Amino acid sequence: MSAVTPSDLSRLSLNQETIKQWSLPELAEGCAKAGVPGVGLWRAPVQEYGVERAARLMRDAGLAVTSLCRGGFLTAVGGADRAAALADNRRAIDEAATLGTATLVLVAGGLPVGSRDLHAARERIADALAELAPYAAERGVRLAIEPLHPMFASDRCVVSTLDQALDLAERFPSDRVGVVVDTYHLWWDDRIADGIARAGDRIAAFQLADWITPLPAGVLLGRGQLGDGAVDFRRFRELVDATGYAGPIEVEIFNETLWSRDGAEVLAEVADRYVTHVLRS
Amino acid sequence: MSAVTPSDLSRLSLNQETIKQWSLPELAEGCAKAGVPGVGLWRAPVQEYGVERAARLMRDAGLAVTSLCRGGFLTAVGGADRAAALADNRRAIDEAATLGTATLVLVAGGLPVGSRDLHAARERIADALAELAPYAAERGVRLAIEPLHPMFASDRCVVSTLDQALDLAERFPSDRVGVVVDTYHLWWDDRIADGIARAGDRIAAFQLADWITPLPAGVLLGRGQLGDGAVDFRRFRELVDATGYAGPIEVEIFNETLWSRDGAEVLAEVADRYVTHVLRS
């Protein structure tokens, strides 16, 4: 383990869900103190605190907001459900613009109740993107499609691979619709090197969590601290860097054990693991 | 719901883990009574009962043994672990031959402790297949690589897609190394139609379970009864049939609720769901 220097952390961003036990002021103060220059935010805590107020808080702490999670859930078949989803995504775009982030992460949504048609659901996402992308572009926000692990395909996200995300994104200009590369969701895929190369300048966010087992019930909170699992982080970072991506590297871990610990201690561990496993190992 | 006729069930095979509460004699009697002509067996209960004795039991009941689960776990790096895995697979091949099934299902194995190199693990499987396939062929047994859902990639099976399984299988003659198409593991993959067409005469087993959520802790026992989840079974069956595959269709569901019920009642439900969702719907 080597000493962590400030320049090591120049690209590091802490997604706030990693240290969910922190309030937004604690997050701002904790990151500033630790020399972590970026934060990824979630809509619910930001709305609760006030969007403009959260924007000011981060700005005053010298922190960049590297992404807002999340819009999406765009697989409704039509009618009121679809209209509500589109309206909610416009609000998410407005919030991203207010926070000063160019990246709104979209989780596509699962199969509607009773449907078994993944292809049709994916096409409805494309239709929704066509409606939302111009609205986002006017506000300086890029929509970033996040492929989620195939274990979420039925109930959360019918977009399961980077190639599928790119099949959708490439119907739009790259400055309007990008993709998220998250190691937790994509680590198992033997096509990932080609997928990342194909993504090129569409990489709107690069997120990290490790893959650990056994998975907990519901599987949502089973992500591991960097270095604890199966992911080869340095390889991912090198593949992403090779596209010319020089943006933030965001650590986003949902893990109840991390949430039960002292936030500053978790952040120090994240920074240390990041240097060891992502930058150097 | 239509009446189930004997000819409807001509391709149906019951994997014994679906009704784990049944002993082997109960399985033989229950399938014969229900007009289900095939059974998929597992090594541990067969060994406990006696391999030759189990073979005779199934033969006397007029049942075909459509597959034996399972060999594999071939990702050990070398030394005693690898030798032990190869020896165990040779025993599994012998057992399959004794049972009179031409199909030994292989679950590849996960990453060795501390390894993050999926590619190397997959190559070690190819090396092991090269050692085992001639031994199996001499005994009339085909090795059938089963891709498991990507949520098992680290701890159970580094082969996650049908294309990956075919990349391995195609290094060998198709009568020596085939693949398993299991809807539970592959339903989410948008490349599956091409993969099944590519598989052609390498399809050694066609297995069914539905995808339901939420997943239980450990995720192994989360499979759903046919029709309860997200899988479009008829589409899968039509894709598999289009390759010329006319073999058994094996129902393999690991689900604690099914295990807590009366076995004959579960089998009647399986047959009914099979006709409704696989053959007709």
Side-chain angles (χ1 to χ4, degrees):
Chain A
M1 198 184 300
S2 330
V4 175
T5 72
S7 70
D8 286 334
L9 306 185
S10 62
R11 294 175 70 188
L12 183 58
S13 172
L14 176 72
N15 187 287
Q16 74 172 117
E17 281 288 298
T18 308
I19 307 180
K20 193 192 172 87
Q21 61 272 42
W22 268 350
S23 67
L24 279 171
E26 287 168 335
L27 176 75
E29 193 192 336
C31 286
K33 252 193 199 160
V36 173
V39 288
L41 301 181
W42 279 68
R43 291 184 69 198
V46 165
Q47 285 168 352
E48 199 181 320
Y49 187 79
V51 185
E52 304 234 6
R53 196 169 157 228
R56 203 164 46 240
L57 180 70
M58 298 303 154
R59 210 166 39 234
D60 290 350
L63 296 171
V65 179
T66 59
S67 72
L68 179 63
C69 289
R70 64 197 180 193
F73 293 90
L74 294 166
T75 51
V77 174
D81 286 353
R82 181 165 191 274
L86 289 170
D88 187 55
N89 275 273
R90 287 193 195 91
R91 278 192 298 276
I93 291 164
D94 293 341
E95 291 163 13
T98 301
L99 291 167
T101 178
T103 300
L104 176 64
V105 174
L106 300 187
V107 170
L111 287 171
V113 174
S115 169
R116 299 184 172 106
D117 191 341
L118 288 167
H119 176 76
R122 289 168 185 147
E123 286 305 305
R124 288 196 297 278
I125 296 160
D127 294 344
L129 290 171
E131 293 200 35
L132 294 170
Y135 185 91
E138 280 168 22
R139 284 151 187 83
V141 173
R142 179 155 70 156
L143 305 176
I145 306 169
E146 178 165 19
L148 257 53
H149 193 283
M151 69 187 176
F152 296 116
S154 69
D155 58 359
R156 199 169 290 266
C157 184
V158 294
V159 177
S160 305
T161 65
L162 187 53
D163 278 325
Q164 284 176 5
L166 289 167
D167 289 345
L168 286 167
E170 287 173 356
R171 305 186 195 190
F172 305 92
S174 67
D175 60 347
R176 293 195 169 193
V177 180
V179 295
V180 180
V181 174
D182 185 319
T183 60
Y184 186 76
H185 298 301
L186 304 175
W187 76 277
W188 59 272
D189 188 351
D190 62 340
R191 300 171 183 267
I192 196 61
D194 290 343
I196 290 172
R198 174 183 166 195
D201 68 355
R202 286 188 192 269
I203 297 176
F206 178 31
Q207 296 184 326
L208 310 180
D210 213 337
W211 179 270
I212 55 172
T213 57
L215 291 163
V219 305
L220 195 60
L221 308 183
R223 303 189 187 191
Q225 173 64 282
L226 313 184
D228 282 352
V231 175
D232 183 346
F233 289 103
R234 200 179 75 162
R235 175 169 176 259
F236 259 90
R237 200 233 337 129
E238 288 175 348
L239 289 169
V240 169
D241 283 354
T243 66
Y245 180 85
I249 302 177
E250 199 175 303
V251 175
E252 184 189 48
I253 305 169
F254 308 158
N255 180 306
E256 291 182 319
T257 305
L258 294 187
W259 295 342
S260 71
R261 291 170 51 193
D262 173 71
E265 186 193 300
V266 173
L267 185 53
E269 186 179 88
V270 163
D272 182 69
R273 298 292 187 94
Y274 169 77
V275 171
T276 303
H277 293 278
V278 184
L279 297 188
R280 297 203 188 129
S281 82
Chain B
M1 199 181 299
S2 329
V4 175
T5 70
S7 70
D8 285 335
L9 305 185
S10 62
R11 296 175 69 188
L12 183 59
S13 172
L14 176 71
N15 187 286
Q16 73 172 117
E17 280 288 297
T18 308
I19 307 181
K20 194 192 173 89
Q21 61 273 41
W22 267 351
S23 67
L24 278 172
E26 288 169 334
L27 176 74
E29 192 193 337
C31 286
K33 253 194 200 158
V36 174
V39 288
L41 300 181
W42 278 68
R43 291 184 69 198
V46 164
Q47 286 168 352
E48 199 180 319
Y49 188 79
V51 183
E52 306 233 8
R53 197 171 157 227
R56 204 164 43 241
L57 179 70
M58 297 305 154
R59 210 166 39 234
D60 289 350
L63 297 171
V65 179
T66 59
S67 73
L68 179 64
C69 289
R70 60 195 185 193
F73 295 90
L74 294 166
T75 51
V77 173
D81 286 351
R82 182 164 189 276
L86 289 172
D88 187 55
N89 276 270
R90 286 193 197 92
R91 276 193 299 276
I93 291 163
D94 294 340
E95 291 163 12
T98 301
L99 291 166
T101 178
T103 301
L104 176 65
V105 175
L106 299 187
V107 171
L111 288 170
V113 173
S115 169
R116 299 183 173 107
D117 191 341
L118 288 168
H119 176 75
R122 290 170 186 146
E123 287 305 306
R124 287 196 298 278
I125 296 159
D127 294 344
L129 290 172
E131 294 202 35
L132 294 170
Y135 184 90
E138 280 167 24
R139 284 151 187 83
V141 173
R142 179 155 72 156
L143 305 176
I145 307 169
E146 177 164 19
L148 258 53
H149 193 282
M151 68 187 179
F152 296 115
S154 70
D155 58 0
R156 197 168 290 265
C157 184
V158 295
V159 177
S160 305
T161 64
L162 186 54
D163 279 324
Q164 285 175 5
L166 289 167
D167 289 345
L168 286 166
E170 287 172 358
R171 305 186 196 191
F172 305 91
S174 68
D175 60 347
R176 291 194 170 196
V177 180
V179 295
V180 179
V181 174
D182 185 320
T183 59
Y184 187 76
H185 299 301
L186 304 175
W187 75 278
W188 58 271
D189 186 351
D190 61 340
R191 299 171 184 268
I192 195 61
D194 290 343
I196 290 173
R198 175 182 164 196
D201 68 355
R202 286 188 191 270
I203 298 177
F206 178 32
Q207 296 183 326
L208 310 180
D210 213 338
W211 179 270
I212 55 172
T213 58
L215 292 162
V219 305
L220 194 60
L221 308 183
R223 302 188 189 191
Q225 172 64 285
L226 313 184
D228 281 353
V231 175
D232 183 345
F233 289 103
R234 199 178 75 163
R235 174 169 177 259
F236 259 89
R237 199 234 337 129
E238 289 175 347
L239 289 169
V240 169
D241 283 352
T243 66
Y245 179 84
I249 302 177
E250 197 176 304
V251 175
E252 185 188 48
I253 305 169
F254 308 159
N255 180 305
E256 291 182 319
T257 304
L258 294 187
W259 295 342
S260 71
R261 289 169 52 191
D262 172 70
E265 184 193 302
V266 172
L267 184 53
E269 184 180 89
V270 163
D272 182 69
R273 297 293 186 95
Y274 169 77
V275 172
T276 303
H277 293 279
V278 184
L279 297 188
R280 299 205 186 128
S281 79

